[in-house]
Amino acid sequence: MKPLIVSFFAAIASSASAYSDPYNHIWIAPGPDDQRSPCPGLNTLANHGYLPRSGQNFTIPDIMDAALEAFNLNWDTILIAAKFGLLTQNNVESELTMSLGPLSLHNAVEHDASLSRNDFGDGTGDNVHFNETVFATLANANPGVDFYNASSAAAVQFARLADSIATNPRIVNTQKEFVLRSRESGLYLSIFGNPLTGIAPKNFVQIFFREERLPIEEGWTKPTTLITSDTLAPIETIVRAESNWTATTTCGPLVLAPGLTVNQAKLAL
Ligand code: HEM
Ligand SMILES: *[C@@H]1O[C@H](CO)[C@@H](O)[C@H](O)[C@H]1NC(C)=O
Ligand SMILES: *[C@@H]1O[C@H](CO)[C@@H](O)[C@H](O)[C@H]1NC(C)=O
Ligand SMILES: *[C@@H]1O[C@H](CO)[C@@H](O)[C@H](O)[C@H]1NC(C)=O
Ligand SMILES: *[C@@H]1O[C@H](CO)[C@@H](O)[C@H](O)[C@H]1NC(C)=O
C-alpha cells in the first residue's frame, strides 16, 4: 500500500513539474474583484500567488518575501518604492497594509513616460493598464538581435520621454521620475535576463509585460544571482548615461532641518 501511495504522489509531482510549474505558484488571471496596479512586477507576483491573488491587504515584508522567492530580488532594490506605496493608500483599518489599486496615484510612484502605460495627462489617460501601442517602443527595441540590454533600455527611455514631452503638456519629469524609470529598466533586464550583464531575452521580457506572467513554459528560470542595488548599479549607470536624460520640470528642493544629513545612497534608491 505505502509504495503505491508514494508513487502516486511522485507521479503527480513529476507531471506537474514537467508541465509548467516547478515553483508551485501557478499563473491565474485576475478575477473581477481582484485589484491590479500599473506595476507589472507586483501584478505578476499576485497573478502567481506570491502576493495575495486579490491584490489586497499585504505588507511591505510580504512584498519583500514575494520578490525574493519569485525573482531572487533583494529587499534593498524596492524598499523605497514599497514605502511610497504605503503613502498611496487610504485605509484607516491598518496603516501597514496596502493594495494594488491605489498604487496608480499619479506622481507617488506612478509616473509619466512609462514603458507600457499611457500618461495620466489631464486625468483621462489610462495610466494603469498595459497598452500595446505604448509598449511598441520597447517591443521593437534593439533590432536585429533577440535580446534587450542596457543600451536598448536607455534608447527606449529616451523615446518614451520624447513622446510624452511632445504629447503631454502636464508631463512631470524630474530627477525622481528618472531614478524610478531607470530602476524599472534595471529590474526587467535583471529578472528576465542575466543580472550580471543586463542582457535579457526579448521573448521573456515581452511575456512579462504583456501577460504579467513568469515565462517558465518558455524556458525562463529564476536568476541564480541575488539581484541587489549593487548588481543593478552598473546596468543602471549605462541606462542613465545612454538615455541622454535632462529634467524638463522641477520640484521644490528638500530642505533639511539643521544638523541633519541626507544619506545620498539611500535617496538614490
Ligand atoms: C517586486 C519587484 C518589482 C518589479 C520587478 C517592478 C517592476 C516594474 C517595472 C518594470 C515597471 C515599469 C512599468 C512601465 O513603465 O510600464 C514598474 C512600474 C511601477 N511599479 Fe514596480 N516593480 C517592483 C516593485 C514595486 C513596488 C514595491 C512598488 C510599490 C509598492 C511598485 C510600484 C510601481 C508603480 C506604481 C509603477 C508604475 C510606474 C509607471 O507609471 O510606469 N513596484 N515596476
Ligand atoms: C482588505 O481589507 C479591507 C479593509 O479591512 C476589507 O474591506 C477587504 O475585504 C479586504 N480584502 C480582502 C480580499 O481580504
Ligand atoms: C493605447 O495607447 C494609444 C497611444 O496613447 C491610444 O491612442 C489608445 O487609445 C490606447 N488604447 C487603449 C485601449 O487605451
Ligand atoms: C546592446 O546590444 C546592441 C546590439 O547588439 C549593441 O550594439 C550594444 O553595444 C549593446 N549594449 C551593451 C551595453 O552591451
Ligand atoms: C545620446 O546622445 C549621443 C550623442 O549625441 C547620441 O549618439 C545617442 O544616439 C543619443 N542616444 C539616444 C538614445 O538618443
Side-chain angles (χ1 to χ4, degrees), residues 23 27 48 51 82 84 133 138 146 155 162 196 219 225 227 233 245 248:
Y23 302 114
W27 183 91
H48 283 274
L51 285 175
F84 270 104
T133 308
L138 171 45
D146 62 1
L196 299 177
T225 302
I227 302 163
W245 178 81
T248 56

Side-chain angles (χ1 to χ4, degrees), residues 28-39 42-48 51-58 88-91 97-104 117 128-129 212:
I28 302 176
D33 296 330
D34 298 334
Q35 293 186 18
R36 292 297 180 264
S37 73
C39 174
L42 296 176
N43 292 354
T44 297
L45 292 175
N47 290 342
H48 283 274
L51 285 175
R53 292 182 187 273
S54 67
Q56 292 167 55
N57 304 338
F58 51 86
T88 67
Q89 310 292 308
N90 196 20
N91 48 350
T97 62
M98 70 182 101
S99 300
L100 293 178
L103 292 177
S104 63
R117 270 74 171 161
V128 179
H129 298 99
E212 303 188 327

Side-chain angles (χ1 to χ4, degrees), residues 5-23:
I5 292 173
V6 168
S7 62
F8 174 70
F9 283 109
I12 289 180
S14 72
S15 72
S17 67
Y19 282 99
S20 62
D21 191 22
Y23 302 114

